[in-house]
Amino acid sequence: MKNSARPEIPAAAWTRSIGQGWEKPYTVRYASNLDDGPWHGMPLGGFGAGCVGRSHRGDFNLWHIDGGEHWFESMPACQFSVFEQVEGETGRAFALCTEPATDGSLGAWQWDSAVGTADSGSYHALYPRSWFVYKNGLAANLICEQFSPIWAHNYQEASYPIALFNWTIENPSDRPITLSILLSWQNMVGWFTNTLKSPDVKMRDDGSPVYEYQPRIRESAGNLNRLLKAGDRIGCVLDGSFETAAEGDGQWAIAAQAANAELFYHTRWNPAGDGSDLWQTFAQDGALANHADETAAAQGEQIGAAIAVRITLTPGEVRSIPFVLAWDFPVTEFAAGVEYFRRYTDFFGRSGKNAWAIAQAGLDHYQNWRQQICDWQQPICDRADLPDWFKMALFNELYDLTQGGTLWSAASDRDRFGQFAVLECIDYRWYESLDVRLYGSFALLMLWPELDKAVLRSFARAIPQSDDRTRVIGYYFVQKMESPHALRKAKDATPHDLGAPNEHPWEQTNYTSYQDCNQWKDLGSDFVLQVYRDFVLTGGTDIEFLAECWEAIARTLAYLKTFDYDNDGIPENSGAPDQTFDDWRLQGVSAYCGGLWLAALEAAIAIGKILLANFSAVPSQYKASLEYLREAIATYQAWLAQSQLVYATLWNGQYYRLDTGSGSDVVMADQLCGQFYARLLGLGDIVPPEQARSSLKTIYEACFLNFHDGKFGAANGLRPDGTPLNPNDTHPLEVWTGINFGLAAFLHQMDMHEEAMRLTSAVVHQIYENGLQFRTPEAITAAGTFRASHYLRAMAIWGILLVKG
């Protein structure tokens, strides 16, 4: 604790009154999809370490401690509270949350009574930092800054399971103020693991595969809490009864540091009771009973721990007190017996007994960590050419790298940064959907490029593999048709995803079964483009990365070419939804898939030429023969020449037709994704630039301006006058957040800057003004509904910054 100035909250931060709700927040489109309501705040925790979420009510309510799994429930005992007494007046105490416990517990506590008004104070968020600015009649100015040590190109601290809470307290009055801050926490060790070790997979009403998650919530028998002190630091470790850590085993730790202050503790109180055993002394004068008890919890019993720091500030004095929450759950288990250690264990060990060491590291380094975050964010925050709403969304959309069921494994000889993966979303619970990350991975590439390359290496390893299991296809189930049994993963097909949390991610791929992904016409192209993108945009020097992916590139292009049934050089869509718009039928050669194919061929040719020119630098285990490389390049050049002639026939004088087989006049918003990528990577244009601009102008008018006056964003596909081909269509009439950000990047690329920002603004404001913050969905509709929250593709907003420079 030291004298300190008030923290500066960036003007770009998302801001809302503490406890302020929404009159009519967006609601879920399909009843079976996840809708936890709008009370979401910025998550705290490192990538792949598990995370917790604290809403702007002040409650901790999101628990992604078990890798890939979701639990949303407010835990009232996990709480900050404050006691304040101005000299000569009666003191008062209340929990800093506007939502009292609703489960019958903690009836003796007082709660923040100013809800959703200017008097309640304000919440601000600019990931990975957020702030609570408290009022509620307090005489002191009280601000809590929350963060985890996440900044660009950081591959160590960004993995830590830790949250810092730096409290700044200012006495603006002419009398001394005594103020005490309490952090209470429930012992939840052992709770977050699935009791169904091999859960059955079922088909949901929307055709998606789902499985049950039944964590051990409130099973606390054997847990115990211990007091720890070190100089001017105090804390409690909340432990469990285990010898060798399995999933769910580990520790929590709470700690604070305060010189020239009074430190208090209570290591065993009952969070399921009325809370008076903790609250009675705290409400009296801001102290705790200094009760230390390491008795383990009995069957059915709940126990909590708490620490408090009390100070007296003279008039005009400003002081700060850091609190820290740390956890150590080193093991992630997928299917029974399939276990991985988390990345942070490379730095803190794998025993599950290191929560106190992690907390101590936080108290040692939190000021430096905060400065590292500021140094990373400040250049963007200072840019006059970017509006604050854009800066806000740019940083806050990174929340998904913490909250998206993220996996980050310990390093190995093969993977020196470990393996990494983020869920497509909670509803579609499988990792790194390749079509989705075509746009959605721009953030990871720009900020943590080694992690993005790790993901693509996993796809490269998976492409030659096969999985002969079969399953029914959800699309036919939804259409009430009999489904064929489709192969899980065909040899040399690019998988759609890297698997799911209930199986073996990275090794068992293609978890989704809504469509037969072996038939998709965009995945192979998506893979090739992302490999070349990562090479070009990280300096163009990582020859080993290209070489490691080359065999997979050659295999997947050859596989994709087998769908060129008329041998005109370009694969045809089948008429079934067989691409990222997996509820939208394309027939014959399509503008979307065909353009990606052309760009991928250009990228493959460029990769082959780079490997030829740097042949001596290619590691022996990845070396193809010179003759093989030359033959592959010649083959791709021949395919490209053929394909360009066919693709040109899609041009209708104004935009590129949806496809050659349907006769549809629908304007597809993402029709020229291939052209966007080709230009982004310095490859040859796949269409004339003037035709690209004409198409973009048509898309902007038909899909954006003529769709509810541009209020919601661009719908995926409308007729030139803005009317739907079929008013009952699903995907064509949805606004996909990530596709819109990708389209905005394309508009910038073609010097349509005003249009790009107007489109981006419409989508950002729909998200952050309607209760979708920190759970950005894949799709929104004009009816005020959404689908697939916590979605990966929305991080495409970083592609806009990439193009703008």
Side-chain angles (χ1 to χ4, degrees):
M1 185 176 64
K2 62 184 182 67
N3 288 334
S4 174
R6 289 170 59 93
E8 293 185 9
I9 300 174
W14 183 73
T15 299
R16 197 164 183 87
S17 294
I18 294 173
Q20 180 185 1
W22 286 264
E23 183 177 342
K24 191 177 180 181
Y26 268 80
T27 55
V28 76
R29 183 174 188 180
Y30 302 116
S32 61
N33 274 203
L34 178 70
D35 187 357
D36 291 319
W39 296 103
H40 286 265
M42 191 201 76
L44 294 156
F47 299 169
C51 74
V52 298
R54 189 184 184 202
S55 83
H56 70 284
R57 291 188 302 202
D59 58 329
F60 291 89
N61 60 7
L62 183 138
W63 309 90
H64 284 190
I65 301 300
D66 186 354
E69 307 297 353
H70 173 77
W71 191 260
F72 188 85
E73 178 185 352
S74 183
M75 301 289 181
C78 299
Q79 194 58 252
F80 279 104
S81 302
V82 64
F83 169 87
E84 183 188 63
Q85 184 173 24
V86 179
E87 186 177 68
E89 297 182 7
T90 302
R92 70 186 199 109
F94 56 92
L96 291 169
C97 179
T98 62
E99 179 75 5
T102 58
D103 60 0
S105 66
L106 309 185
W109 290 29
Q110 299 298 312
W111 299 83
D112 190 345
S113 58
V115 179
T117 68
D119 290 337
S120 66
S122 54
Y123 172 82
H124 312 259
L126 194 71
Y127 179 91
R129 293 188 292 161
S130 57
W131 299 260
F132 283 88
V133 180
Y134 293 99
K135 293 182 180 179
N136 196 354
L138 288 169
N141 294 323
L142 184 63
I143 300 175
C144 177
E145 181 177 17
Q146 309 175 146
F147 63 93
S148 294
I150 292 166
W151 58 87
H153 304 286
N154 168 18
Y155 297 97
Q156 179 170 329
E157 290 87 351
S159 73
Y160 288 3
I162 195 168
L164 284 305
F165 306 86
N166 194 37
W167 291 85
T168 300
I169 309 158
E170 179 185 15
N171 180 359
S173 74
D174 58 1
R175 288 181 288 170
I177 296 176
T178 297
L179 190 139
S180 181
I181 296 174
L182 166 72
L183 173 57
S184 55
W185 207 257
Q186 188 162 356
N187 189 323
M188 297 177 284
V189 171
W191 289 17
F192 297 105
T193 184
N194 200 349
T195 59
L196 304 173
K197 291 302 182 183
S198 297
D200 293 333
V201 179
K202 303 174 184 177
M203 191 173 292
R204 197 168 53 191
D205 60 357
D206 65 356
S208 297
V210 296
Y211 61 90
E212 293 183 5
Y213 179 60
Q214 294 183 7
R216 299 176 61 242
I217 301 297
R218 295 179 181 82
E219 294 184 24
S220 301
N223 289 355
L224 56 91
N225 304 329
R226 296 195 313 275
L227 174 70
L228 289 171
K229 291 184 177 181
D232 59 357
R233 296 175 178 178
I234 188 171
C236 293
V237 169
L238 291 68
D239 212 337
S241 56
F242 63 94
E243 294 183 4
T244 301
E247 183 179 76
D249 292 332
Q251 298 175 330
W252 296 88
I254 55 175
Q257 178 173 320
N260 301 317
E262 297 174 278
L263 308 176
F264 302 98
Y265 56 88
H266 195 312
T267 68
R268 200 178 194 281
W269 62 281
N270 179 14
D274 68 1
S276 59
D277 48 348
L278 183 69
W279 197 258
Q280 184 175 9
T281 54
F282 182 73
Q284 182 177 341
D285 58 7
L288 299 180
N290 287 345
H291 176 70
D293 185 348
E294 296 185 15
T295 303
Q299 190 70 37
E301 187 180 19
Q302 302 298 314
I303 59 172
I307 55 175
V309 177
R310 186 171 68 185
I311 59 174
T312 298
L313 293 89
T314 58
E317 186 176 6
V318 182
R319 303 176 80 174
S320 67
I321 306 172
F323 282 75
V324 62
L325 169 69
W327 55 96
D328 180 17
F329 298 98
V331 176
T332 293
E333 183 181 48
F334 303 117
V338 180
E339 296 181 342
Y340 281 75
F341 288 107
R342 287 171 155 159
R343 167 65 169 171
Y344 78 86
T345 64
D346 288 338
F347 314 107
F348 287 102
R350 300 175 174 181
S351 67
K353 299 290 187 180
N354 296 297
W356 182 247
I358 298 168
Q360 294 296 286
L363 293 175
D364 288 340
H365 301 293
Y366 76 95
Q367 294 180 77
N368 176 59
W369 293 349
R370 182 187 180 280
Q371 190 59 52
Q372 295 271 18
I373 297 169
C374 293
D375 291 346
W376 162 47
Q377 291 186 328
Q378 202 61 48
I380 293 176
C381 288
D382 287 343
R383 284 183 56 168
D385 64 318
L386 301 176
D388 281 345
W389 61 260
F390 179 80
K391 300 169 189 174
M392 179 276 295
L394 192 72
F395 285 110
N396 282 338
E397 287 305 319
L398 295 176
Y399 82 94
D400 199 49
L401 293 175
T402 291
Q403 192 171 297
T406 311
L407 306 179
W408 190 0
S409 70
S412 66
D413 291 340
R414 185 179 71 161
D415 297 293
R416 65 190 185 96
F417 290 99
Q419 292 182 276
F420 188 82
V422 177
L423 293 174
E424 179 175 333
C425 66
I426 306 299
D427 282 305
Y428 312 146
R429 199 170 300 190
W430 40 84
Y431 282 102
E432 293 294 344
S433 300
L434 192 66
D435 56 317
V436 174
R437 75 182 324 273
L438 183 67
Y439 283 143
S441 62
F442 277 122
L444 193 64
L445 165 67
M446 293 167 68
L447 302 173
W448 292 275
E450 295 298 339
L451 297 184
D452 201 67
K453 289 179 181 179
V455 173
L456 294 176
R457 286 189 180 97
S458 295
F459 275 102
R461 294 165 187 164
I463 284 171
Q465 307 303 317
S466 63
D467 186 336
D468 295 336
R469 291 176 293 171
T470 60
R471 67 266 185 93
V472 297
I473 299 303
Y475 175 76
Y476 295 97
F477 173 79
V478 173
Q479 300 295 323
K480 296 181 172 54
M481 300 167 59
E482 185 175 352
S483 170
H485 279 71
L487 195 67
R488 170 80 177 250
K489 165 68 172 71
K491 182 178 176 63
D492 295 341
T494 299
H496 169 271
D497 56 76
L498 292 176
N502 65 317
E503 290 192 338
H504 191 169
W506 302 302
E507 301 297 328
Q508 293 176 299
T509 60
N510 265 1
Y511 188 82
T512 183
S513 60
Y514 183 67
Q515 297 288 1
D516 179 0
C517 295
N518 298 300
Q519 304 294 315
W520 278 27
K521 309 308 186 298
D522 55 350
L523 294 174
S525 301
D526 293 346
F527 172 71
V528 177
L529 288 169
Q530 289 178 62
V531 169
Y532 189 56
R533 178 199 67 181
D534 282 22
F535 174 78
V536 170
L537 298 182
T538 59
T541 59
D542 195 347
I543 302 299
E544 182 175 348
F545 172 68
L546 284 186
E548 186 175 356
C549 296
W550 174 255
E551 179 188 356
I553 288 171
R555 285 175 177 269
T556 197
L557 288 177
Y559 177 87
L560 189 51
K561 184 63 165 60
T562 64
F563 296 104
D564 177 16
Y565 298 117
D566 56 7
N567 204 33
D568 63 357
I570 189 167
E572 286 86 37
N573 291 90
S574 67
D578 55 3
Q579 26 65 43
T580 193
F581 303 94
D582 57 2
D583 221 17
W584 193 355
R585 297 167 61 89
L586 304 179
Q587 301 177 45
V589 173
S590 68
Y592 179 71
C593 295
L596 289 171
W597 168 255
L598 292 177
L601 290 176
E602 289 189 341
I605 293 166
I607 293 168
K609 290 180 176 179
I610 291 167
L611 293 176
L612 272 178
N614 296 274
F615 195 73
S616 62
V618 174
S620 58
Q621 68 267 35
Y622 305 128
K623 222 162 210 170
S625 70
L626 288 169
E627 185 60 30
Y628 173 72
L629 283 170
R630 293 190 184 103
E631 289 177 357
I633 292 168
T635 297
Y636 302 150
Q637 288 172 329
W639 291 352
L640 179 61
Q642 275 187 292
S643 299
Q644 286 173 322
L645 296 174
V646 176
Y647 194 75
T649 65
L650 289 169
W651 175 248
N652 69 1
Q654 184 181 358
Y655 59 94
Y656 280 79
R657 290 181 293 136
L658 183 69
D659 56 38
T660 60
S662 69
S664 171
D665 66 346
V666 163
V667 179
M668 187 183 201
D670 206 28
Q671 62 184 258
L672 289 182
C673 179
Q675 166 66 9
F676 166 72
Y677 251 90
R679 179 164 281 217
L680 179 71
L681 303 182
L683 301 166
D685 287 320
I686 65 169
V687 301
E690 62 273 14
Q691 292 183 5
R693 290 189 180 90
S694 176
S695 295
L696 280 173
K697 183 175 183 295
T698 303
I699 293 165
Y700 187 77
E701 292 177 354
C703 299
F704 177 49
L705 296 182
N706 292 338
F707 182 70
H708 297 273
D709 299 319
K711 177 182 176 182
F712 294 94
N716 283 323
L718 297 171
R719 304 182 74 182
D721 62 358
T723 60
L725 181 67
N726 179 353
N728 296 318
D729 277 341
T730 52
H731 289 183
L733 300 184
E734 290 180 329
V735 173
W736 286 13
T737 55
I739 295 294
N740 271 250
F741 294 151
L743 179 58
F746 191 13
L747 288 163
H748 274 299
Q749 189 184 70
M750 302 306 290
D751 298 322
M752 299 174 69
H753 304 296
E754 182 178 343
E755 293 88 342
M757 294 310 281
R758 180 175 174 184
L759 175 64
T760 307
S761 174
V763 177
V764 166
H765 284 88
Q766 287 297 323
I767 295 167
Y768 287 91
E769 292 179 4
N770 291 288
L772 296 175
Q773 74 291 336
F774 303 108
R775 56 169 187 153
T776 306
E778 159 77 316
I780 60 176
T781 73
T785 63
F786 70 89
R787 177 174 59 80
S789 57
H790 306 266
Y791 206 74
L792 168 62
R793 188 155 25 204
M795 283 186 287
I797 194 169
W798 280 83
I800 299 173
L801 185 69
L802 175 65
V803 173
K804 282 180 64 67

